[in-house]
Amino acid sequence: MIKSDYLIIGSGIAGLSLALKASKCGSISLVTKRKMFDSSTGRAQGGIACVMDKSDSFEEHIHDTIVSGAGLCDEKMVEKMVVEAPERIKELMWFGVKFTKRDDSNSRFDLGMEGGHSKRRILHAGDVTGNEIEQVLISNISKHENVTVYENCSAIDLILDGNKVCRGAYVFDNENNKIEIFQAKITVLATGGSGKTYLYTSNPDVATGDGVAMAYRAGADISNMEFVQFHPTCLYNSEAKSFLISEAVRGEGAVLRLKNGEPFMDKYSPQKELAPRDIVARAIDSELKSRRENFVYLDITSKSRGFLMKRFPNIYAKCLEYGMDMAKDMIPVVPAAHFFCGGVAIDENGKTGVDNLYAVGETACSGVHGANRLASNSLLEGIVYADRIYKDSLQFLKKEFPKIQGSFGKYNNFSGKSRSIYMQEWEEIRRITWNYLGIIRSDGKLLKAKKRIDILKNEIDQYFNNTPITVDNIELRNIACIADLVVRSAMLRKESRGLHYNTDYPSMLPDAKDTIVNRQNA
């Protein structure tokens, strides 16, 4: 049994920044499924939204967030996030994060523009912002003796005592093929997103919804899982796995065009390419389906090669790798599953409905994103709520470790050798979500998805309970759980709002309500 004051599961911006703060007050076990760097944070290109210029204001950032959220944002939570943003940015810079400055100034930031924003307020580090943040935070983690990092360890399930209080987690050591019990006074789920539930996604392979699935099985409420954000512009190339063309490219003037070169976004929004992501993704999806084509083009050839190489060095180099010069060639793009606005329901301090359990970042549903996340608010949410969890959790540090009855009996042959996974189930779930739970939905599609997911989920649960624990088995069980949560949530929403568009309910209801799914209403 491994004991610590905090058990933090996940190593993105939320988990790492929380670990750095909490290490001042207690011992930390930081568990991550692969290497520390393997998170969605490290892939974030665009940046982090924050009011940093005198021409901007908190009120305008709040307004843009709420408009993008299609009436479902918790306005109180949005205000808190936006107002606290500058202090959290200062902390990142104190850790060593270097955001790009303007050429004409050593003090003024080169603020980017992205869809849904009315002002330039995106702090960035070239076009590899997440990489810069992740590397800096990891470097700082290595300096803290109070933080013990457990790489290549996959959380299986949360440990609850007889009073349904979270006491830690069962964790599978991927390399040594054994299960460890991690006991903690405070457990935090910072496992990131669930994009691998879909066939095409911008997410890394680790994004299998582990935190949401574990919280659901522990009895927590799961909110708004129907709101799956599809990034409009993922590079369409069979060899380029999950590579995004950042929102910031459209912010700098890129135009979406059909194969014949015709622009089309003016038919869908007066904001054209700078409309919120749900509108842009639906527009592309509509054009592709009506024309039976596989991709559209993103055209930024109006900018010079020098500008593109400086502003988007990583994207420029990656496109060049695949034979495209952004300065003279249009880029083929297609929407891909990108971000879950829903997740484990939390309060303003990151608490879930399970005692001693917190959730943060994309794992959580804080209410700040509503029905559609405003671009570059995700990294911001991660650092703001990590700080809130840190401050709220201090009250639990004085408590003694209670005795728990940790047992491996619920898992079959945990030290046995790995058996081959049911790859057909893995593939089938992802095709069902892509075909029936994608950008455009209908009652018929949802019903078909529900029937098939029910069968698959039962098969996978039986498989999990009767075969040795492996990373593949853990992830398969979790994506089946996520698919079930998405379809159940989507069936509850009898309207079209934000990222959820149902052709049988094309209008938005006057009253905005969250969907809540839990084991009690399964």
Side-chain angles (χ1 to χ4, degrees), residues 113 245-254 298 300 312 315 326 331:
M113 170 69 86
I245 306 299
S246 172
E247 185 108 4
V249 177
R250 281 180 283 129
E252 296 295 348
L298 188 66
I300 193 165
F312 304 111
I315 297 173
M326 290 171 66
I331 309 166

Side-chain angles (χ1 to χ4, degrees), residues 396-462:
F396 299 111
L397 292 181
K398 295 178 182 179
K399 295 184 178 180
E400 296 296 322
F401 281 102
K403 290 185 178 179
I404 61 169
Q405 300 299 317
S407 169
F408 301 126
K410 60 189 289 190
Y411 303 114
N412 184 63
N413 297 328
F414 64 85
S415 61
K417 293 182 180 179
S418 170
R419 278 178 51 182
S420 62
I421 193 170
Y422 285 157
M423 286 306 297
Q424 62 268 30
E425 271 85 354
W426 177 277
E427 194 72 11
E428 187 171 357
I429 288 172
R430 299 180 72 206
R431 288 193 178 279
I432 289 169
T433 55
W434 185 258
N435 292 331
Y436 301 126
L437 302 174
I439 296 172
I440 305 293
R441 302 164 179 174
S442 68
D443 280 357
K445 286 183 175 182
L446 295 177
L447 188 58
K448 286 180 182 178
K450 181 71 167 66
K451 288 180 178 178
R452 188 59 191 142
I453 288 169
D454 282 348
I455 294 170
L456 284 167
K457 191 170 181 296
N458 287 333
E459 289 177 356
I460 290 164
D461 284 344
Q462 289 181 21

Side-chain angles (χ1 to χ4, degrees), residues 333-351:
V333 294
V334 66
H338 183 57
F339 187 90
F340 277 66
C341 292
V344 186
I346 59 171
D347 67 10
E348 63 181 22
N349 294 312
K351 282 183 181 176

Side-chain angles (χ1 to χ4, degrees), residues 75 87 177 206 217 268 429 457 464 490 504 509 512:
E75 296 188 15
E87 281 301 311
N177 197 36
V206 295
R217 290 192 290 267
Y268 297 92
I429 288 172
K457 191 170 181 296
F464 183 86
D504 292 302
L509 293 174

